[in-house]
Amino acid sequence: MIFFFLLLVAMFVALVAQHFIGPLPVIGARVLLMPIIMFYGALALPTPGMLVLAFCGGLMWDALHMQIIGGNVEIALGWSIVLYAALGALMGGFRPLFQRGRWEIHCLLSGVCTSMIVLAEYLMITFRRDPVVFVFNKDIWWRIGGAGLVAAFLSPFFFFTLNYLAFLVGYDTQPTREGKRSR
């Protein structure tokens, strides 16, 4: 429980901190830190814990990003809860690899999933404004893919730090490691 609450606090701090980081100068992509922590939680926690973490993370994200323009809801409250749960389930499917100490695929997958969050947000706003016109130019693709590239680059640092934090509080993120199965 302690580690779960530490992940919640870390997600909140990351959500606040990412708003003080400007977009990358050349490509205009945002640096999204909170999804990285959420995806780590999807790997480190069992499924019920991941679902509660997805609910809390999605609620925090929506509370900060909900948009109502001219009486029209562009980004609704609750949509990212479902998206985070689905992406967390995708990451959770690779949990056995993570428990064996393999992190490589998860770092890449956190970048892909972060890009999927930005893409879903863009599609929702675009569809609500004009359901016929979808514009995908080079700048939009860079913003979507750039956020994923940054997340893939930063995720090993976050995963290592959060794994160390789990060790400090006594939470075993890899209970099926070799040598522990003999019990």
Side-chain angles (χ1 to χ4, degrees), residues 18 27-28 34 59 61 63 72 77 88 90 93 96-97 99 105 110 118 130 132 146 152 154 162 172-173 178-179:
Q18 74 188 22
I27 59 178
M34 193 201 71
L59 189 63
W61 184 270
N72 187 21
L77 186 65
L90 177 69
L97 281 174
Q99 289 177 329
I105 188 75
S110 67
V118 177
D130 189 3
V132 179
L154 292 176
L162 291 169
D172 190 8
T173 59
E178 300 299 325

Side-chain angles (χ1 to χ4, degrees), residues 84-144:
Y84 276 38
L87 294 176
L90 177 69
M91 289 288 282
F94 291 94
R95 189 168 185 232
L97 281 174
F98 178 78
Q99 289 177 329
R100 284 186 264 153
R102 302 300 307 229
W103 290 26
E104 305 85 15
I105 188 75
H106 306 99
C107 294
L108 294 174
L109 195 56
S110 67
V112 170
C113 290
T114 301
S115 289
M116 291 173 71
I117 291 170
V118 177
L119 176 64
E121 191 175 77
Y122 173 73
L123 290 175
M124 182 181 297
I125 291 172
T126 303
F127 183 73
R128 301 255 173 133
R129 288 184 183 169
D130 189 3
V132 179
V133 179
F134 284 101
V135 176
F136 285 104
N137 59 27
K138 184 175 82 170
D139 293 333
I140 291 171
W141 283 116
W142 270 113
R143 288 182 185 196
I144 293 168

Side-chain angles (χ1 to χ4, degrees), residues 47 49 64 107 128 149 159 172:
T47 303
L64 193 61
C107 294
R128 301 255 173 133
L149 288 174
F159 283 18
D172 190 8

